[in-house]
């Protein structure tokens, strides 16, 4: 209890990235460093909002991300409790981070190549719009949804029903993994640049460049996941 009280009383300046991400990272770090032990009930939304000098809505967003990624669990009428010192192994739909790392290159690299050869003008416009909106988006949850949508659109543009079905099936896990990487590694700008290179290759109709750009993007995601796991 002393650790919780001392952590809560220590004011934290919110200055990097946006407020919800900063709150998420501060609480996550406290959990990983065992300042907030397993089983600890987190302070209320009101207390956390006061600690950080932000609104309860922002606190609620950070708490939602912590629960989505398996660090905490909210129990109705009792509060939010620390249940794990590491992200959940299952990202959604019964898929693990290892499942995604092994499977995505086999599916999304060829899908990007076929999309460069088969995409329609409407599909290219949709991918371009997504990239543009992701460059401007500040809300993590909205960006994560668009990230998963971008990969789904490429599978759609490949013209291969199997690629489309597989990517659609793992979309929830992709979104959870994307949220984890963004919160812990802050890769949003880098991911946006990688997405833009994929888009440019697809727009140019270059199968080889599209495959290479997607391979580069997935490798960077893999490196981030491995780095998070090693921490």
């Amino acid at each position: 209890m002393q650790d919780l009280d001392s952590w809560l009383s220590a004011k934290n300046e919110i200055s990097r990235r946006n407020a919800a991400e900063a709150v998420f990272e501060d609480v996550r770090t406290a959990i990983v460093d065992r300042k907030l032990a397993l089983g600890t009930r987190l302070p209320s939304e009101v207390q956390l909002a006061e600690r950080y000098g932000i609104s309860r809505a922002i606190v609620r967003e950070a708490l939602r991300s912590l629960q989505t990624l398996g660090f905490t669990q909210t129990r109705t009428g009792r509060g939010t409790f620390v249940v794990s010192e590491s992200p959940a192994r299952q990202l959604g739909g019964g898929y693990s981070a290892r499942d995604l790392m092994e499977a995505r290159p086999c599916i999304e690299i060829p899908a990007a190549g076929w999309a460069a050869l088969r995409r329609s003008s409407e599909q290219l416009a949709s991918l371009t719009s997504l990239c543009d909106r992701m460059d401007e988006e500040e809300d993590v949850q909205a960006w994560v949804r668009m990230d998963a949508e971008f990969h789904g659109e490429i599978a759609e543009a490949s013209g291969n029903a199997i690629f489309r079905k597989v990517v659609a099936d793992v979309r929830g896990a992709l979104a959870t993994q994307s949220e984890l990487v963004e919160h812990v590694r802050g890769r949003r700008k880098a991911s946006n640049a990688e997405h833009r290179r994929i888009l440019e290759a697809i727009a140019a109709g270059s199968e080889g460049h599209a495959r290479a750009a997607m391979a580069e993007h997935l490798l960077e995601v893999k490196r981030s996941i491995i780095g998070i796991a090693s921490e």
Side-chain angles (χ1 to χ4, degrees):
M1 189 65 177
Q2 185 176 2
D3 286 342
L4 175 60
D5 289 340
S6 60
W7 176 80
L8 181 59
S9 64
K11 296 294 182 182
N12 186 60
E13 292 296 325
I14 302 300
S15 58
R16 65 181 184 81
R17 289 184 268 173
N18 69 37
E21 289 177 86
V23 172
F24 168 91
E25 179 62 15
D26 191 51
V27 178
R28 184 194 74 88
T29 300
I31 292 172
V32 171
D33 292 344
R34 300 184 179 178
K35 295 177 182 177
L36 297 175
L38 293 178
T40 299
R41 184 173 67 182
L42 293 183
S44 68
E45 289 181 6
V46 173
Q47 289 174 303
L48 289 172
E50 182 180 348
R51 177 180 193 263
Y52 294 106
I54 57 177
S55 71
R56 290 178 62 184
I58 294 175
V59 168
R60 198 172 299 121
E61 179 182 339
L63 292 178
R64 183 172 63 246
S65 294
L66 286 163
Q67 176 161 297
T68 297
L69 299 176
F71 289 103
T72 63
Q73 183 179 91
T74 298
R75 299 165 187 167
T76 304
R78 298 182 59 194
T80 299
F81 295 80
V82 178
V83 296
S84 176
E85 294 170 350
S86 60
R89 291 185 180 275
Q90 300 300 312
L91 297 171
Y95 302 112
S96 68
R98 187 185 69 179
D99 292 335
L100 291 185
M101 284 190 293
E102 291 176 353
R104 291 185 72 182
C106 302
I107 300 163
E108 295 195 65
I109 292 174
W114 285 117
L117 300 177
R118 296 172 174 168
R119 54 80 182 168
S120 67
S121 57
E122 292 79 9
Q123 288 167 333
L124 180 60
S126 179
L127 286 167
T128 302
S129 175
L130 273 170
C131 273
D132 291 344
R133 284 184 285 138
M134 290 175 77
D135 283 341
E136 300 297 325
E137 185 57 63
E138 293 295 331
D139 179 78
V140 176
Q141 302 289 331
W143 184 88
V144 163
R145 287 192 295 271
M146 286 189 283
D147 183 25
E149 185 178 352
F150 179 80
H151 288 273
E153 288 280 356
I154 289 175
E156 181 75 31
S158 76
N160 186 298
I162 295 175
F163 290 158
R164 181 173 64 245
K165 176 68 163 60
V166 172
V167 173
D169 284 349
V170 302
R171 188 163 176 169
L174 289 177
T176 302
Q177 185 179 78
S178 179
E179 185 175 357
L180 170 64
V181 170
E182 169 54 23
H183 276 308
V184 180
R185 290 298 197 190
R187 287 203 75 252
R188 199 183 328 170
K189 288 185 178 180
S191 288
N192 285 345
E194 290 156 16
H195 288 163
R196 185 68 65 175
R197 286 192 286 273
I198 296 168
L199 170 65
E200 289 170 352
I202 291 174
S206 174
E207 177 186 5
H209 287 160
R211 289 173 65 101
M214 181 63 80
E216 176 192 4
H217 174 55
L218 295 181
L219 178 59
E220 292 302 323
V221 173
K222 179 179 180 179
R223 285 172 174 163
S224 294
I225 293 296
I226 291 174
I228 292 168
S230 68
E231 292 174 358

